[in-house]
Amino acid sequence: MSFTLAIVGRPNVGKSTLFNRLVGKRLALVDDQPGVTRDLREGAARLGDLRFTVIDTAGLEEATDDTLQGRMRKLTERAVDMADVCVFMIDARVGVTPVDEAVADILRKRGRNVIVAANKSEGRAADGGVIEAYSLGLGEPIRLSAEHGEGLNDLYAQLLPLS
Ligand code: GDP
Ligand code: MG
């Protein structure tokens, strides 16, 4: 059975980097500059023998009348409602921020399967942020480095029972 995975989280945590890694083509723009990608992006993902649809929550930084929080909430809710499982990504080098807490609230209310991914976890600088990620109360975080392709085995292990 195939499933749909949504990658959610505040801007700049590495969502599009993971999306690109799973899809294997540069369908989603990755950029340090805000305002480059837009809305929701869908791709055909592979991870080991798993095949699934992945949705990248892009477009969070588009200039609109909405506040970033308002826009993020709407886009995140849309992505979550399309998904069977969500990867909720935080930046382990920064730790849990109030914006991350707002995303966690959406996930709790919508009651989907959630995998917490503490990204940018290569190296020791991330240890504190990974531990903080437990405080989100959404399960044991996986240590991920989307950029370096580390931790994908743990992502696979959490996805396997859902496939
Ligand atoms: P998004 O806004 O959540 O989609 O984040 P992006 O995928 O555009 O990444 C934002 C920045 O974080 C880019 O400069 C990426 O190269 C960088 N980044 C993504 N994943 C990692 C990672 O695992 N480690 C580190 N150090 N940087 C990363
Ligand atoms: Mg992005």
Side-chain angles (χ1 to χ4, degrees), residues 9-18 29-32 37 56-57 61 89 93 119-122 144-148:
R10 65 177 178 79
N12 214 40
V13 294
K15 296 182 299 300
S16 299
T17 305
L18 177 61
L29 296 173
V30 177
D31 204 283
D32 290 326
T37 50
D56 181 21
T57 328
E61 304 88 351
M89 188 176 276
R93 297 184 171 216
N119 192 40
K120 310 195 187 182
S121 275
E122 74 277 0
L144 202 69
S145 174
E147 191 154 279
H148 298 269

Side-chain angles (χ1 to χ4, degrees), residues 84-96:
D84 302 299
V85 55
C86 299
V87 166
F88 170 26
M89 188 176 276
I90 70 154
D91 182 335
R93 297 184 171 216
V94 174
V96 174

Side-chain angles (χ1 to χ4, degrees), residues 10-11 47 52 66 68 82 84 134 144:
R10 65 177 178 79
L47 184 58
F52 52 95
D66 272 3
L68 170 60
M82 290 165 74
D84 302 299
Y134 281 89
L144 202 69

